[in-house]
Amino acid sequence: MSTQERRRRERETREQLFIQTAQDLIRREGLLHLQMSRLAEACDYATGTLYQHFSSKEDLLMAIATEDLKRRATAFEPIPGLPATSRERMLAVVLTDIDFISSHPDHFQLLQYVSTEVIWASASLERRQALVQAGAPISEVVSRVVADAIHAADLVGIPSLRPVEIAAGFWCLNTGMHTLAHTHGLLEAYAVRDPYALLIHHGHALLNGLGWQPLVDTGNTRAVIDEAERIRALLVRSANPESPAVTS
Amino acid sequence: MSTQERRRRERETREQLFIQTAQDLIRREGLLHLQMSRLAEACDYATGTLYQHFSSKEDLLMAIATEDLKRRATAFEPIPGLPATSRERMLAVVLTDIDFISSHPDHFQLLQYVSTEVIWASASLERRQALVQAGAPISEVVSRVVADAIHAADLVGIPSLRPVEIAAGFWCLNTGMHTLAHTHGLLEAYAVRDPYALLIHHGHALLNGLGWQPLVDTGNTRAVIDEAERIRALLVRSANPESPAVTS
DNA sequence: TCCGTAAAATGAATCAAGTTCAATTTTGCC
DNA sequence: GGCAAAATTGAACTTGATTCATTTTACGGA
């Protein structure tokens, strides 16, 4: 019976090896040049062994995207418990996403690619479900932040809109800006200089427009930047709970 | 000399035939199943002839996306001249985009696909430039709407934000909602019922948050819907300038 | 009208890469 | 140590995009 278990662990370990090596290859040579045979070789396995884990190349790509998405979701977890106002927590959502995507530039592009009809349809049902599931915790966290704000009366609930639909607005703004930032030719065409500073600005505008208290003066660029840095520090602290005493 | 010109026209006609037939095939059988040889056959040409026009399959896809994008851009043209308030014109931008994407469901997915690193890198420089160029008029129109609003004092300009950067916020919201609406599994995961009603709502919230006058009470769902219908009617009228007298 | 040349079109052959599977090797157990 | 089952291997297969030697067509001058 322990044999069974060890086998499963070894299999899992090897799958991680394939996924991580594939990520390395993609980082190094680009998604375009990823080849199944070369990936297998890089891992010292035969090509066929790859297909013990992934039903197709698209399946593999989706597995990579899913791994990253799980890590991305983890970054959101501490937010509902953050010692801050509900509005600051919502800003924390935006900042967390910005920072994750900024430090994982390949992730967003891969996610865009596998979300494409062509790739999506070529992957197995299990992988597709796993990808959707990996993203679900994020919308749950953000919805909770919205629900908490309504509960705290920082935000007046509108009967026709559930928390998840408010959350979706920020999802759109964020995803849209990632798209703008990562799609070739777009930043240049729009002549947008600093997409993520812009995202924070529009995020505040949307928060203000929803009447999310306390309102922020978006014209005061200094204050907006300072607040973002303050929330970032809070996020860093919550990510390393055992860090030494805070210094001012 | 007329021979030269006729040749060029014939060539252009044939390219359009290829592009339109390819669109038909995609609509009928999906992007996944588009094959160069079958497209050529469907047009009664040899496979090699396709490559007189498109350097690769990706090149062809980009050409299709570009054609659609040109048509999409055309839909925005009348907006700056619309007899309406600046805020209504901005709403017209959002509605025009919603309606175009709704009636061209394949367009957005194809555009997403060709914007992908993998496909982008496989297309020729000319096609990539053409795609970017085809989208530029849209951002120009929207920027003009923003600039006009500032000029009319409906919107207080912020020194650090140029009109195009305000426009980009709406681009993000729109593109994000299209993504949410068209990406498999997302609508279900977010449990969003009517993405485009939601987009209109958040669009108003963003407008309010930017202080774009006159502010709209987003809680008044009836009024929001009615206004959208009114603007849609205005758009239809401006698209068919020779239509018979308006009936109330 | 006919001819020769240049341009265009053709589609079978080539190529690349993902996928399969018969043969081989390894593993776990008696 | 030996055997059956499971896992691994990598060469062969498959699919479909791309090429290019050959054929056909178009054009302009005699």
Side-chain angles (χ1 to χ4, degrees):
Chain A
M1 44 189 133
S2 113
T3 294
Q4 283 278 309
E5 192 48 31
R6 178 179 52 90
R7 275 267 167 77
R8 235 164 56 78
R9 264 202 316 280
E10 284 175 357
R11 201 188 138 80
E12 179 56 28
T13 304
R14 193 171 63 180
E15 187 152 315
Q16 288 302 318
L17 171 68
F18 285 145
I19 289 176
Q20 282 175 29
T21 308
Q23 280 184 306
D24 281 355
L25 285 176
I26 291 172
R27 186 166 327 119
R28 203 118 36 82
E29 312 181 0
L31 190 47
L32 185 60
H33 296 109
L34 183 69
Q35 277 174 238
M36 295 302 265
S37 54
R38 290 213 286 152
L39 170 59
E41 195 179 18
C43 298
D44 287 318
Y45 281 99
T47 312
T49 309
L50 267 179
Y51 287 83
Q52 297 280 332
H53 293 263
F54 312 105
S55 71
S56 67
K57 187 180 182 179
E58 287 75 21
D59 225 48
L60 163 67
L61 294 179
M62 204 155 277
I64 299 171
T66 303
E67 276 308 297
D68 272 346
L69 190 54
K70 279 184 193 163
R71 243 172 263 128
R72 185 172 167 193
T74 305
F76 287 86
E77 277 170 11
I79 294 178
L82 231 49
T85 67
S86 71
R87 175 150 177 158
E88 286 167 339
R89 286 201 289 266
M90 196 64 206
L91 183 61
V93 166
V94 175
L95 293 174
T96 298
D97 205 40
I98 290 175
D99 292 346
F100 187 90
I101 300 291
S102 296
S103 58
H104 298 76
D106 292 334
H107 165 60
F108 184 74
Q109 290 196 320
L110 181 59
L111 195 58
Q112 262 197 150
Y113 188 55
V114 301
S115 302
T116 274
E117 178 195 10
V118 174
I119 309 303
W120 186 267
S122 307
S124 67
L125 181 61
E126 296 80 49
R127 296 282 179 195
R128 296 197 303 235
Q129 289 176 334
L131 182 65
V132 170
Q133 270 201 322
I138 300 181
S139 75
E140 278 161 28
V141 161
V142 184
S143 298
R144 187 157 358 129
V145 170
V146 173
D148 288 350
I150 294 172
H151 187 76
D154 289 337
L155 178 62
V156 176
I158 295 177
S160 62
L161 281 192
R162 286 164 300 140
V164 74
E165 288 171 324
I166 306 265
F170 291 91
W171 185 93
C172 291
L173 208 52
N174 269 41
T175 302
M177 196 59 85
H178 295 319
T179 303
L180 183 53
H182 285 84
T183 304
H184 262 293
L186 273 187
L187 265 194
E188 298 82 334
Y190 264 87
V192 167
R193 291 158 302 186
D194 184 347
Y196 290 130
L198 190 58
L199 174 55
I200 293 171
H201 181 99
H202 282 301
H204 272 300
L206 184 56
L207 285 162
N208 282 349
L210 293 167
W212 199 314
Q213 304 296 323
L215 301 187
V216 164
D217 173 13
T218 55
N220 188 344
T221 311
R222 186 75 257 151
V224 167
I225 293 176
D226 287 348
E227 186 198 17
E229 282 321 308
R230 192 163 50 75
I231 304 297
R232 274 204 173 92
L234 209 58
L235 282 164
V236 170
R237 224 176 306 149
S238 81
N240 317 321
E242 304 308 331
S243 67
V246 183
T247 65
S248 86
Chain B
M1 46 192 132
S2 114
T3 294
Q4 283 277 309
E5 192 47 32
R6 179 180 52 90
R7 274 269 168 76
R8 236 163 56 76
R9 263 203 315 279
E10 285 175 356
R11 200 188 138 81
E12 178 55 29
T13 303
R14 193 172 62 180
E15 188 153 315
Q16 288 302 319
L17 170 69
F18 286 145
I19 289 176
Q20 282 175 28
T21 308
Q23 279 183 306
D24 282 356
L25 285 177
I26 291 172
R27 185 166 327 118
R28 202 117 36 82
E29 312 181 0
L31 190 48
L32 186 60
H33 296 110
L34 183 70
Q35 275 174 237
M36 296 302 266
S37 54
R38 291 213 285 153
L39 170 59
E41 195 179 16
C43 298
D44 288 318
Y45 280 100
T47 312
T49 309
L50 268 179
Y51 287 84
Q52 297 280 333
H53 293 263
F54 312 105
S55 71
S56 67
K57 186 179 181 179
E58 288 75 21
D59 225 49
L60 163 67
L61 294 179
M62 204 156 277
I64 300 171
T66 303
E67 276 308 297
D68 272 346
L69 190 54
K70 280 184 193 163
R71 242 172 264 130
R72 187 172 165 192
T74 305
F76 287 86
E77 278 170 10
I79 294 177
L82 231 51
T85 67
S86 71
R87 175 151 177 158
E88 286 166 340
R89 286 201 289 267
M90 197 64 206
L91 184 61
V93 166
V94 175
L95 293 174
T96 298
D97 205 40
I98 290 174
D99 292 347
F100 187 90
I101 300 290
S102 297
S103 59
H104 298 76
D106 291 334
H107 166 60
F108 184 74
Q109 290 195 322
L110 181 58
L111 195 58
Q112 262 197 150
Y113 188 55
V114 301
S115 302
T116 274
E117 179 195 10
V118 174
I119 309 303
W120 186 267
S122 307
S124 66
L125 181 62
E126 296 80 50
R127 295 284 178 193
R128 296 197 304 235
Q129 288 176 335
L131 182 65
V132 170
Q133 272 201 322
I138 300 180
S139 75
E140 278 161 27
V141 162
V142 183
S143 297
R144 187 158 356 130
V145 170
V146 173
D148 289 350
I150 294 173
H151 187 75
D154 290 336
L155 178 63
V156 175
I158 295 177
S160 62
L161 281 192
R162 286 164 300 140
V164 74
E165 287 171 324
I166 306 264
F170 291 92
W171 185 94
C172 291
L173 208 52
N174 269 41
T175 302
M177 196 59 86
H178 295 320
T179 303
L180 184 54
H182 285 82
T183 304
H184 261 292
L186 272 187
L187 265 194
E188 299 82 335
Y190 264 88
V192 167
R193 291 158 302 186
D194 184 347
Y196 290 129
L198 190 59
L199 174 54
I200 293 171
H201 182 99
H202 283 301
H204 273 300
L206 185 55
L207 285 162
N208 282 350
L210 293 167
W212 199 314
Q213 304 296 323
L215 301 188
V216 164
D217 173 12
T218 56
N220 188 343
T221 312
R222 186 75 256 151
V224 167
I225 293 175
D226 288 348
E227 187 197 17
E229 282 321 306
R230 193 162 50 75
I231 304 297
R232 274 206 172 92
L234 208 59
L235 281 165
V236 170
R237 224 176 306 149
S238 82
N240 317 322
E242 304 307 332
S243 67
V246 183
T247 65
S248 89

